Amino acid sequence: MRIYVGNISFRSTDETLYEAFSQYGQVEEAAVITDRQTGRSRGFAFVTMPDEDAQKAIEALDGTDVDGRTWRVSEAREPTARRPGGGRRDGDRD
DNA sequence: GTTGAGCGTT
């Protein structure tokens, strides 16, 4: 599951997220979103974890104070990566 | 050495 982490400190990095989320499960990917134009932090990030661990981490870390800022943690909106296929697998069915 | 609403790239 992809997790959206907002309102993070500009000092927070990928490892800051990793160390925080890894406490609640296996972190598959942890990436602070930096402005592609300036290379500076945009103040939010994405974390990918197994569904069960992700939900635990969300409820555990949402609203917590990290590096002076209160984290806004929730499930990410968009289905998955912005690539052809839109997150839908060929075998996806109802 | 700055700032503060937000859902990103391989």
Side-chain angles (χ1 to χ4, degrees):
Chain A
M1 175 187 285
R2 288 196 314 141
I3 307 171
Y4 166 77
V5 188
N7 198 51
I8 68 177
S9 172
F10 293 151
R11 289 86 180 176
S12 296
T13 65
D14 305 82
E15 68 177 289
T16 307
L17 289 160
Y18 185 89
E19 291 181 34
F21 280 86
S22 61
Q23 297 174 100
Y24 303 96
Q26 178 58 46
V27 178
E28 297 179 358
E29 183 65 273
V32 173
I33 305 306
T34 49
D35 192 317
R36 189 173 58 86
Q37 301 171 84
T38 65
R40 295 182 175 90
S41 177
R42 290 181 59 181
F44 73 97
F46 282 109
V47 178
T48 305
M49 300 179 71
D51 182 83
E52 49 186 318
D53 293 336
Q55 294 182 35
K56 291 191 306 181
I58 290 173
E59 296 188 48
L61 294 173
D62 182 35
T64 57
D65 185 271
V66 179
D67 197 50
R69 297 304 173 199
T70 304
W71 274 13
R72 305 279 74 185
V73 187
S74 63
E75 179 181 352
R77 292 176 180 170
E78 301 180 56
T80 179
R82 294 183 173 181
R83 284 190 296 173
R88 288 277 178 166
R89 301 282 81 82
D90 293 338
D92 191 1
R93 62 183 71 83
D94 293 306

